[in-house]
Amino acid sequence: MYKKLMTLIAAGTLLVGCSSVEEKKEAVAEKAPQEYHLTNKYQNADITIAFDDGKVFGFSGVNRYFGGAVINGEDLDVSNVASTMMAGPQDKMAAEMEYLQLLSEADKIKMEDNKVIITTKDNQELIFEAK
């Protein structure tokens, strides 16, 4: 009788432990930053963007980039953008340089459905869609 009781307690503990681990995995997945793909410029560069906890980051055509991002309503302030320093094809390097310059001039941001639209100070738009 004692063995059966201990086996039942151990099995119950194992099941409860596994379900709470699964719940924690789902919560982390829900909080993971969403990555968006640039769709209206530099089609072959595969440029992406994501935001998380006051940061912006993504892939800029050849390198990974990162920096600060403050979003206040529709206002966007991107600062201190830096990137890794890999070399690549000339066209992707040119697209990367231009994109990072536009990103540093970001002024407004709005989200529509699965899109993020960033507008620069001189009204150029960067349109990103969820990956």
Side-chain angles (χ1 to χ4, degrees):
M1 177 73 176
Y2 181 72
K3 272 187 172 178
K4 287 182 182 178
L5 181 60
M6 292 307 289
T7 303
L8 263 167
I9 291 172
T13 303
L14 182 61
L15 288 174
V16 169
C18 288
S19 67
S20 67
V21 167
E22 193 61 38
E23 288 171 14
K24 287 180 184 174
K25 283 182 185 175
E26 289 175 16
V28 170
E30 289 172 3
K31 294 185 183 224
Q34 174 70 47
E35 194 168 26
Y36 296 86
H37 184 265
L38 183 64
T39 59
N40 70 322
K41 292 180 180 276
Y42 323 116
Q43 300 301 323
N44 297 325
D46 195 31
I47 294 173
T48 65
I49 195 168
F51 298 91
D52 187 33
D53 196 28
K55 297 179 181 121
V56 62
F57 55 93
F59 181 71
S60 53
V62 177
N63 292 285
R64 302 289 306 165
Y65 70 92
F66 44 90
V70 176
I71 300 172
N72 186 8
E74 286 193 357
D75 293 334
L76 173 62
D77 182 30
V78 175
S79 61
N80 301 320
V81 176
S83 71
T84 56
M85 302 292 285
M86 302 293 289
Q90 195 68 1
D91 60 332
K92 287 188 177 186
M93 293 292 293
E96 179 176 83
M97 285 180 51
E98 188 175 321
Y99 167 71
L100 291 175
Q101 181 62 41
L102 288 171
L103 185 61
S104 70
E105 297 169 2
D107 187 43
K108 301 285 182 194
I109 187 169
K110 60 183 169 175
M111 300 186 89
E112 296 176 354
D113 300 320
N114 66 340
K115 293 181 183 179
V116 172
I117 302 169
I118 295 175
T119 307
T120 66
K121 291 174 181 141
D122 62 351
N123 291 320
Q124 292 191 57
E125 281 190 341
L126 299 170
I127 301 172
F128 298 86
E129 291 186 22
K131 270 187 122 175

